[in-house]
Amino acid sequence: TKYPEVLQYLVKRGMTKETISKWRIGFAPHEWRRLHDHLIGKKISVQDMHATGLVKKTDGENKFYDVFRGRIMFPIFDQSGRPVAFSGRIFIDDGKSPKYLNSPATVLFNKSEVLFGFDRAKTAIRKMDYSILVEGQMDLILSHQAGLVNTVASSGTAITEIQLRKLQRISERIMFALDSDSAGFNATKRSAEIALEIGMDVKVAVLPKGEDPASLVAKDPNLWKHALKTGKHVIDFYTETLLAKNLDRRVLVREIKNFVLPSVLQVQGKTEQGHFVKMISEKTGIKEDAIWDDLKSLTREKMNPN
């Protein structure tokens, strides 16, 4: 291989050579016009390169330079398996460039619709009747390598309703991989709310502190599988998170109302809601009637926000 240090890095992160080849992972050298010149040699117009987000124009001059430089390149495929965009992970960090750089929106690539890995995961999602949602390319690829081929990734952006509906069409059940940091938690909370609202069954796999699916698979694929096996329904998870804080009783009641009950409201159907009200009551000792009253007042607040 031309760039042994890049291959070494990927292997160190836990990827096999077979995986690298299967996902068509490459490297864009740290040069300003390597791709530009190569494509010109292939009789591809600068306009087409620009339209697909591969080159940028220099300020005030009619010159172009490569967008992806010094990055490990992950092609992003559409649902038929055709490459439509790229995600480039920085290889030599200069301290000022973003860790990941994704293709801009183009005619071929709408980032609020495309799910990374969906082309390879859709059959498994249908068969296993649930999808696993992770955040980054490494997480996705190493999950597939570990045999969890029903995994898709949001490519570092917040998951959208369009993407969730795409998954829902093949299975109502979804498992979010949750980073233990608060940013991961908050991003997941919003996505989980959308998923509940459209009627999906939402669980979360809680990862050990400081770990992500990729780091778990690199250590031992069974660690990631265990996190998925012990996944909890998102409403159970929120309730247990608050209970673990050992809050004063009055504060706990308020926090359950503000933090957990909005998710119960998203759940469709009175019977389903009843199931969660009972569970929250059993875990917290708050009477079911009191929880129903709080739910009613939340509904009123939602309908009359002023």
Side-chain angles (χ1 to χ4, degrees):
T1 175
K2 228 175 181 179
Y3 301 101
E5 66 285 11
V6 180
L7 186 62
Q8 209 179 339
Y9 167 80
L10 292 170
V11 169
K12 202 173 107 192
R13 288 292 305 266
M15 278 185 208
T16 63
K17 288 183 182 173
E18 188 192 358
T19 292
I20 294 165
S21 148
K22 190 178 168 187
W23 289 88
R24 296 162 69 179
I25 300 167
F27 182 67
H30 211 306
E31 293 175 35
W32 287 97
R33 288 188 184 80
R34 169 74 79 93
L35 180 66
H36 170 279
D37 296 348
H38 173 75
L39 293 176
I40 289 285
K42 297 268 183 195
K43 305 277 184 288
I44 289 167
S45 74
V46 174
Q47 286 71 26
D48 284 349
M49 292 181 222
H50 191 249
T52 47
L54 294 172
V55 297
K56 267 186 179 165
K57 206 171 189 175
T58 51
D59 291 340
E61 291 178 67
N62 206 13
K63 279 189 179 168
F64 292 85
Y65 63 93
D66 296 352
V67 167
F68 298 101
R69 303 181 309 283
R71 289 181 179 270
I72 296 170
M73 300 297 289
F74 299 92
I76 296 173
F77 306 97
D78 67 10
Q79 58 193 47
S80 310
R82 298 169 299 194
V84 289
F86 291 97
S87 185
R89 187 197 189 281
I90 201 154
F91 184 59
I92 297 159
D93 197 351
D94 58 5
K96 53 180 192 262
S97 305
K99 186 175 169 185
Y100 277 96
L101 185 64
N102 293 329
S103 292
T106 65
V107 185
L108 298 173
F109 177 55
N110 179 341
K111 58 181 83 177
S112 63
E113 283 177 24
V114 172
L115 278 164
F116 189 51
F118 184 76
D119 56 309
R120 295 168 192 242
K122 56 188 178 189
T123 309
I125 294 169
R126 190 172 278 122
K127 197 166 136 195
M128 295 159 88
D129 193 22
Y130 83 104
S131 54
I132 302 166
L133 183 78
V134 296
E135 218 177 296
Q137 278 77 14
M138 293 280 192
D139 294 332
L140 174 98
I141 291 169
L142 284 166
S143 286
H144 276 250
Q145 183 179 293
L148 298 155
V149 289
N150 53 329
T151 308
V152 292
S154 60
S155 271
T157 51
I159 188 103
T160 64
E161 188 178 325
I162 301 171
Q163 289 166 325
L164 287 167
R165 286 195 185 275
K166 196 182 240 183
L167 292 169
Q168 186 185 27
R169 278 198 286 276
I170 45 181
S171 172
E172 292 280 350
R173 296 160 63 209
I174 187 167
M175 173 82 75
F176 284 90
L178 194 64
D179 276 355
S180 39
D181 66 1
S182 57
F185 183 89
N186 292 332
T188 301
K189 190 170 187 327
R190 183 67 207 112
S191 308
E193 277 167 8
I194 301 170
L196 285 171
E197 214 167 293
I198 64 173
M200 292 183 88
D201 177 34
V202 185
K203 285 188 170 174
V204 292
V206 187
L207 306 174
K209 215 165 187 45
E211 300 284 2
D212 56 29
S215 65
L216 289 180
V217 173
K219 283 180 187 165
D220 177 356
N222 289 321
L223 293 171
W224 175 217
K225 288 175 182 168
H226 176 73
L228 292 165
K229 270 196 198 90
T230 52
K232 297 170 178 162
H233 191 283
V234 69
I235 293 172
D236 280 292
F237 169 71
Y238 291 156
T239 308
E240 286 170 21
T241 304
L242 287 177
L243 282 172
K245 290 182 174 175
N246 294 320
L247 302 165
D248 174 80
R249 176 108 191 128
R250 222 175 44 247
V251 178
L252 177 68
V253 172
R254 191 182 67 225
E255 288 290 282
I256 291 281
K257 178 180 176 180
N258 294 337
F259 196 73
V260 183
L261 296 190
S263 292
V264 177
L265 265 191
Q266 313 284 26
V267 173
Q268 298 180 350
K270 271 279 178 281
T271 319
E272 276 283 282
Q273 286 185 356
H275 161 80
F276 289 112
V277 168
K278 189 169 188 286
M279 179 277 294
I280 294 166
S281 169
E282 282 167 3
K283 284 189 174 167
T284 60
I286 304 167
K287 287 194 168 60
E288 283 188 45
D289 289 353
I291 298 171
W292 279 114
D293 287 344
D294 279 346
L295 266 178
K296 282 184 191 118
S297 79
L298 275 178
T299 312
R300 282 197 298 274
E301 282 167 29
K302 207 173 167 187
M303 293 171 90
N304 311 302
N306 303 324

